[in-house]
Amino acid sequence: MKPVTKQVCAHLIRGTIWNCNSSPFSDPDFEEISDGALAIDSQGRILGLGTASSLKRLFKPKNETHFKDSVLLPGFIDTHIHFPQMNQIGCHGESLLGWLEKYIYPEEIRMSHPQQAQRFSSLFFDELLQNGTTTSLILSSSDASSTDILFNSAKDSGARAIIGKVSMDRLAPKELIRSVSQDKDHSERLISKWHGKEGRLFYALTPRFSPACSNAMLRMLGELAQKYSGVRIQTHFSENLDEIKLVKKLFPKAKDYLHTYEDFGLLNERTVLAHCIHASASEINRMAKLKVNVSHCPTSNLFLGSGLFPMDAYSRKEITTSVGTDIGAGTSFSIWTTLGAAYKIQRLRHQDVSTAQLFYLATLGGAKALGLENEVGNFEVGKKADIQVINWKKKSILKARMENSQTALDRFFSCLFHFEKDLIEAVFVDGKPVFARQ
Ligand SMILES: [Zn+2]
């Protein structure tokens, strides 16, 4: 018999593997490989996935890391988070519009100063990575220099990030307002400097929400969306009933809230709309036709009392849905905790969301929402190795719960309610270690 020539790989990482391969909305799909492994090349791409013994027959690794008693799963994807709100988690007693005015706008003015941005931006990415989040869609402040600082920190941290400078030209303190021409100039400069950088940093056009933008601002952003075809678009939509009333007052000619974005060419497969709680049937139909993506932000919706997200209405229309922490209305940097809250919201609606669906929302669903499904979101051969490693034996109550458990999905589900960031052992982006617990 001819001996098999083994392929050299840069790194073989071993541990139990949790992965999903397609959308559980149509085809429930979650796999566990105990004593599994990933073979990774020098560019951080996945060469092989399988049991450790089968991969060892195929590959000759230059390095090997064995995470005993640990699970390797795709790095989570947060599709809605505000950098300048990171220090405002837990501000009491307001719903959306009052909360913005009382707590958030003053903080965003403070975080627009380059010194503050410098002080907190590396901490922001540390916090994401330590919670197992490897990719995020981030809203910065409306200030271009502090957004540039945030991009620099993303670059240094090793995280994968899509970042946008918030655009607003009305209904906000003057320090946060930029004219349409200033905003265009700042956005284009950031796009040319950062979009596509290192293959893991991208730009997102970011109207805050239509009440804070004039028609001229929305039109200009729509034109930039046309001009820069790879750039993403992110904003808020249909979060709160008073917000919807305000949109009606400010856009008397628009047929509904969605129309205020639709009219200016801001809705397509590159758009992520956060919240989408109170959308009408017509709006949901048009979102499906336009292939817009949704970011569900459950801890934020509970905190501000915004409402209960109708997940089934979006899955029926096969609208790509993902999850966001929405820090600082959201109460945790952890997507694990966020998924737990997503489950509770559907229970309050007397609806079910399966464990495989929850796993999908934070992995492949997030990747699809960001147009990164060919790069990340699961452990398919050829994709980038973005991995989080969780060691559930570190917490005795979780260890006992896991040992009593019969299925991998049950083990994953229980982790959502026991999560603490100390359980995250290591995190890799592009196959490179970006966090290791000491
Ligand atoms: Zn938000």
Side-chain angles (χ1 to χ4, degrees), residues 210-221:
S210 48
C213 296
S214 65
N215 284 356
M217 179 65 94
L218 292 168
R219 186 171 301 114
M220 181 279 287
L221 292 168

Side-chain angles (χ1 to χ4, degrees), residues 24 67 71 81 93 97 117 149 189 205 210 214 234 278 297 301 318 321 328 348 351 356 358 374 399:
F67 290 101
V71 180
I81 181 166
L97 300 175
I149 289 167
R189 270 199 260 165
L205 297 162
S210 48
S214 65
Q234 61 174 339
H278 307 287
C297 304
N301 300 161
E318 297 188 0
T321 303
L348 283 169
Q351 294 286 328
L358 291 167
N374 295 323
K399 181 172 176 280

Side-chain angles (χ1 to χ4, degrees), residues 110-125:
R110 286 190 287 273
M111 290 289 268
S112 292
H113 292 145
Q115 262 179 333
Q116 285 295 95
Q118 197 77 59
R119 185 170 163 211
F120 288 106
S121 55
S122 58
L123 192 69
F124 178 76
F125 287 103

Side-chain angles (χ1 to χ4, degrees), residues 331-346:
T331 50
S332 170
F333 265 80
S334 162
I335 288 289
W336 293 87
T337 302
T338 303
L339 291 175
Y343 173 78
K344 291 176 194 169
I345 284 189
Q346 296 316 308

Side-chain angles (χ1 to χ4, degrees), residues 80-82 85 139 236 239 274-275 297 300 326-327:
H80 189 78
I81 181 166
H82 296 255
Q85 298 177 17
L139 297 94
H236 300 88
E239 177 176 359
H275 304 300
C297 304
S300 163
D326 195 24
I327 295 296

Side-chain angles (χ1 to χ4, degrees), residues 86-105:
M86 64 182 283
N87 297 319
Q88 292 300 92
I89 297 170
C91 290
H92 180 268
E94 296 283 343
S95 61
L96 176 68
L97 300 175
W99 172 83
L100 281 171
E101 212 164 291
K102 189 167 170 187
Y103 301 112
I104 295 308
Y105 288 155

Side-chain angles (χ1 to χ4, degrees), residues 155-171:
K155 177 170 166 272
D156 295 344
S157 72
R160 198 178 299 286
I162 306 176
I163 301 174
K165 183 199 91 59
V166 159
S167 298
M168 44 184 171
D169 64 345
R170 65 179 185 187
L171 294 190

